Amino acid sequence: MQHKIMIPLLAVLSLVVISGGQVVGHASIRAPAVIIQNNTGSLTTIDLTITKGNGTVSVNGPLEVANSTLQSAVTAAQYASAFLNLDYKDYNFNYTIIGAGENVSGPSGGEAMTLLAVSALSNKKLLNDFTVTGTISGNGSVGLIGGVYDKASAAKSNGMAFILVPAAGSDQFEALLYQLVQDTFGIPLIQVANTSQAYGYAFGTVPTAGKQTNTSLYVNYYVNQLPEAQIQCSNQCNTSDFNMLTNYTFDFANSSIATLAASSSSRNIASQLSSILAQDKVIAAKGYLYAGADQAFLGYLDSFFFNSNYANESTGLSALMSIQQYCDSLAPPQLTEQNYEFVLAGELRQSWAEYYANSSIATYNSSVETTDDVLQIMKDFAAPANAWCNAASEMYSIAKPKGGANVTWQSALAVVATNRISRAQPFATANPVYYVSARQAYSQQNYPLAILDADYAFALSNSSLISGNFTTGQLLNFSNQLAHNATFGVWATQFSNEAEFYIIEARLAQNQSTVRSYAESAFSAAYLAATLAPDMEIIYQNLTPGSSPAQPGAGHLLTQQSNTTQSQESTNATVSVLVQQTHEIFIIAVVMLVVNIVLFFMIVYLLLPTTKFSRNQLRNSKSRNRRNG
């Protein structure tokens, strides 16, 4: 023990002898790190000795120190000096990292080094029961880092009272992660945006009580002022079946929330999600079935994430593989004239789930370095994949007993599918799940599924792209026109009703950012409805008596584009033959042309007095594109 106490003192004395400089100050801080080899956290000690000098900054201790760590030390020394109205060039800063292993890399110790420099320069003592993580910039702002889960685990096991972490700001995942970590380990995570904020907590001048992370998930819609849904389905309306699916979604989400509520540390989040689900049910009860179900779907993603609080690299991969196997086991029922909408809807979700599971498994080992990475995969990939597969299973269960004559599709739909895939191609990277699924469905000659997947790829991306060209008022008016003219089939109608829901909420909201966000959500839903409705009618008109061909399992989805050129050549050859086959193709082409012309002139009309707005960032884009429908 005596040797350990003497090490920092000997280091200081040796530095004085070597440099010949006068010691200005010395300070120590506990700083968390992540051992990448086994995804575990550790708590290191960083010592700093400052002497009179010429602005030299050094980092010692490990055998190898990465440039990113050294640059963080330089920035820390420079900013801390400026923070105290001093010139860093009058001093030398010697950081010594103890207990970090052979190699140290990354900038996450930047704020710790900054507080150390402030302490040593001012001869003010830091608290000894906290730790801090975050990058430091030249203006003193604290930047986001990785490994929060593992670092908090180390801090808790080493008796720290609280952790200073970078402010999550608009980063939705980081806000959820902080809450999960705080709840799991029972250690407060206090968010700081800059060194000025961190200073008060680190030196004990600002009390920490009540400053811990408190993530709010609840969005207060004006459900009491919400009228009954007005948009009615015009053809192929299976509203009672959709109501069954909506209730299933509620039960599915509620089951996950109940599991979360069983853990005492997660009851606050579970209570919020329960309140959100109750609101979702009110929305659905007023006829906005998809709007309510979609919100419940997003709530399920959050509950799945918080239920994954003890996930690690091994269990995360096992969860993905279990979801993949479950999805592979699903088989759609025979297509009939009564059930085709729900069979195709189930196939859509099964294909999306398989894409998510396959792509995340394929890159898992290379993308996971910390437990934070595992949790992000659980949130962004495993949760929606699991929800989609369960939704697909329920849709197949609804479709199977409906009866009706067996049907298949006419080969003329291949031309429509080729057109839709071509239209979606510019958005292949923006929404790869839909585009890749469309190409896969086409390769399996499941042309209706290819059409619908391509419609999702096109509509969700293009609506986001062009909405910035509209004022908020124009967005709402255009959304209203599109929604009221997109009522063929239950799915398009429900998307139209979702658009109506957001139009009403936008007109009731007081905050202009919220109004804009709701207007964009309305436009996204209406644009999707307007894209799907005419294609559902084309699919319906091209169903013919017979048994639909057996489709390979969705687990065989392509996750890479290495065969894109070959597939495109095959597609072009197929189209070349089909174009010459039947008169039906000409009829379909005319219908498609008329629909596109109508949509074109509607857009041109509303674009004439356009004012360009920046995209509002309040609504998380991944959540909007990861639709239940």
Side-chain angles (χ1 to χ4, degrees):
M1 181 66 72
Q2 291 178 337
H3 293 297
K4 291 182 179 179
I5 294 173
M6 291 178 65
I7 287 174
L9 179 59
L10 290 172
V12 173
L13 292 174
S14 63
L15 181 65
V16 173
V17 172
I18 293 171
S19 65
Q22 176 187 349
V23 174
V24 175
H26 175 262
S28 294
I29 195 170
R30 304 298 302 277
V34 178
I35 302 172
I36 299 298
Q37 289 81 354
N38 56 11
N39 300 118
T40 57
S42 67
L43 206 60
T44 66
T45 297
I46 306 178
D47 285 336
L48 170 62
T49 299
I50 300 178
T51 63
K52 289 290 186 179
N54 57 6
T56 299
V57 179
S58 61
V59 179
N60 303 302
L63 294 178
E64 183 178 341
V65 177
N67 287 335
S68 57
T69 304
L70 182 57
Q71 183 56 53
S72 291
V74 172
T75 304
Q78 292 174 345
Y79 181 76
S81 300
F83 184 78
L84 297 170
N85 295 316
L86 299 172
D87 188 346
Y88 86 98
K89 292 180 180 179
D90 292 336
Y91 308 95
N92 288 341
F93 301 79
N94 183 264
Y95 291 94
T96 301
I97 302 176
I98 303 169
E102 295 183 353
N103 302 308
V104 171
S105 64
S108 66
E111 180 59 16
M113 291 177 169
T114 303
L115 292 173
L116 263 182
V118 171
S119 175
L121 285 169
S122 64
N123 286 310
K124 290 184 179 180
K125 191 173 182 179
L126 292 162
L127 296 179
N128 62 4
D129 63 348
F130 84 103
T131 187
V132 56
T133 184
T135 66
I136 184 66
S137 66
N139 63 3
S141 60
V142 181
L144 295 174
I145 42 79
V148 174
Y149 184 99
D150 302 313
K151 293 173 181 178
S153 175
K156 179 66 176 180
S157 63
N158 280 273
M160 297 292 102
F162 64 94
I163 311 172
L164 298 181
V165 295
S170 61
D171 191 313
Q172 186 183 42
F173 172 76
E174 205 74 12
L176 293 175
L177 177 65
Y178 286 167
Q179 190 69 56
L180 180 148
V181 168
Q182 180 175 272
D183 292 347
T184 300
F185 296 111
I187 182 171
L189 270 64
I190 300 176
Q191 299 182 43
V192 293
N194 51 54
T195 298
S196 295
Q197 291 180 6
Y199 177 91
Y201 301 120
F203 289 94
T205 60
V206 175
T208 59
K211 301 297 185 180
Q212 70 271 18
T213 290
N214 185 17
T215 301
S216 177
L217 302 176
Y218 192 80
V219 177
N220 186 27
Y221 292 113
Y222 296 89
V223 292
N224 292 332
Q225 301 178 53
L226 191 65
E228 297 290 326
Q230 297 300 311
I231 299 176
Q232 300 297 317
C233 179
S234 61
N235 203 325
Q236 297 300 295
C237 309
N238 296 297
T239 306
S240 61
D241 293 331
F242 204 98
N243 194 62
M244 289 173 56
L245 179 62
T246 300
N247 289 331
Y248 171 83
T249 305
F250 291 153
D251 292 342
F252 185 64
N254 186 64
S255 177
S256 182
I257 295 169
T259 300
L260 188 64
S263 171
S264 59
S265 64
S266 301
R267 284 176 185 164
N268 175 49
I269 287 294
S271 177
Q272 289 191 56
L273 292 173
S274 292
S275 297
I276 293 170
L277 185 60
Q279 182 175 247
D280 299 339
K281 291 179 179 179
V282 174
I283 293 170
K286 295 197 174 184
Y288 307 93
L289 298 179
Y290 180 81
D294 191 31
Q295 294 297 324
F297 174 84
L298 297 176
Y300 168 79
L301 302 187
D302 289 336
S303 64
F304 184 100
F305 171 71
F306 281 97
N307 278 322
S308 303
N309 61 327
Y310 286 109
N312 56 42
E313 185 173 0
S314 175
T315 60
L317 183 58
S318 295
L320 285 169
M321 294 181 72
S322 294
I323 293 168
Q324 181 191 53
Q325 291 170 6
Y326 171 56
C327 286
D328 281 345
S329 71
L330 300 178
Q334 167 63 47
L335 209 66
T336 74
E337 60 186 2
Q338 299 296 326
N339 73 7
Y340 75 97
E341 272 205 284
F342 278 85
V343 172
L344 291 173
E347 287 184 294
L348 281 171
R349 282 144 195 84
Q350 187 178 359
S351 68
W352 302 341
E354 288 292 354
Y355 175 87
Y356 268 38
N358 289 344
S359 58
S360 56
I361 288 172
T363 60
Y364 190 84
N365 290 332
S366 61
S367 60
V368 169
E369 290 187 347
T370 69
T371 304
D372 290 10
D373 299 327
V374 175
L375 291 168
Q376 182 138 31
I377 289 173
M378 292 296 99
K379 176 72 163 62
D380 292 343
F381 293 92
N386 193 52
W388 279 330
C389 281
N390 278 274
S393 178
E394 177 65 11
M395 291 176 198
Y396 294 159
S397 296
I398 292 172
K400 192 171 183 178
K402 286 191 69 64
N406 290 352
V407 295
T408 186
W409 48 85
Q410 298 179 29
S411 60
L413 285 183
V415 176
V416 185
T418 300
N419 175 278
R420 298 304 187 258
I421 290 172
S422 177
R423 182 176 66 175
Q425 196 279 329
F427 310 106
T429 55
N431 272 317
V433 56
Y434 308 122
Y435 182 75
V436 172
S437 298
R439 289 186 60 83
Q440 180 67 13
Y442 188 94
S443 72
Q444 297 170 353
Q445 299 182 12
N446 189 338
Y447 303 126
L449 186 61
I451 292 168
L452 298 178
D453 264 318
D455 281 349
Y456 274 85
F458 167 74
L460 294 178
S461 293
N462 200 43
S463 62
S464 177
L465 180 67
I466 66 176
S467 64
N469 295 317
F470 293 88
T471 66
T472 299
Q474 288 173 329
L475 271 184
L476 293 173
N477 290 334
F478 193 22
S479 299
N480 186 59
Q481 292 180 46
L482 287 175
H484 279 83
N485 287 283
T487 58
F488 187 96
V490 67
W491 286 93
T493 302
Q494 284 304 319
F495 291 140
S496 291
N497 273 316
E498 185 188 31
E500 182 185 20
F501 166 77
Y502 281 113
I503 291 169
I504 294 167
E505 290 294 326
R507 289 171 176 164
L508 292 171
Q510 303 298 314
N511 181 280
Q512 289 305 305
S513 294
T514 303
V515 172
R516 180 68 188 184
S517 176
Y518 290 164
E520 290 174 354
S521 295
F523 184 66
S524 175
Y527 200 90
L528 179 59
T531 304
L532 288 174
D535 280 352
M536 285 304 301
E537 186 168 6
I538 290 172
I539 291 170
Y540 174 68
Q541 292 171 348
N542 281 273
L543 295 178
T544 187
S547 296
S548 56
Q551 299 300 319
H556 301 289
L557 277 174
L558 297 176
T559 57
Q560 297 181 357
Q561 296 298 316
S562 59
N563 296 322
T564 299
T565 302
Q566 182 178 351
S567 298
Q568 187 62 53
E569 290 174 356
S570 175
T571 299
N572 292 340
T574 302
V575 173
S576 178
V577 173
L578 287 170
V579 166
Q580 303 174 31
Q581 282 185 338
T582 65
H583 178 63
E584 297 170 33
I585 297 172
F586 174 75
I587 296 173
I588 292 170
V590 170
V591 172
M592 289 161 48
L593 179 62
V594 170
V595 169
N596 287 331
I597 289 173
V598 170
L599 283 174
F600 172 78
F601 279 106
M602 288 178 70
I603 292 172
V604 168
Y605 172 78
L606 287 163
L607 275 174
L608 289 176
T610 289
T611 301
K612 190 163 185 176
F613 276 66
S614 298
R615 289 280 295 152
N616 183 275
Q617 299 300 316
L618 284 180
R619 194 166 184 87
N620 183 280
S621 61
K622 289 185 178 178
S623 295
R624 290 307 312 150
N625 287 339
R626 190 167 301 118
R627 304 175 69 92
N628 186 30

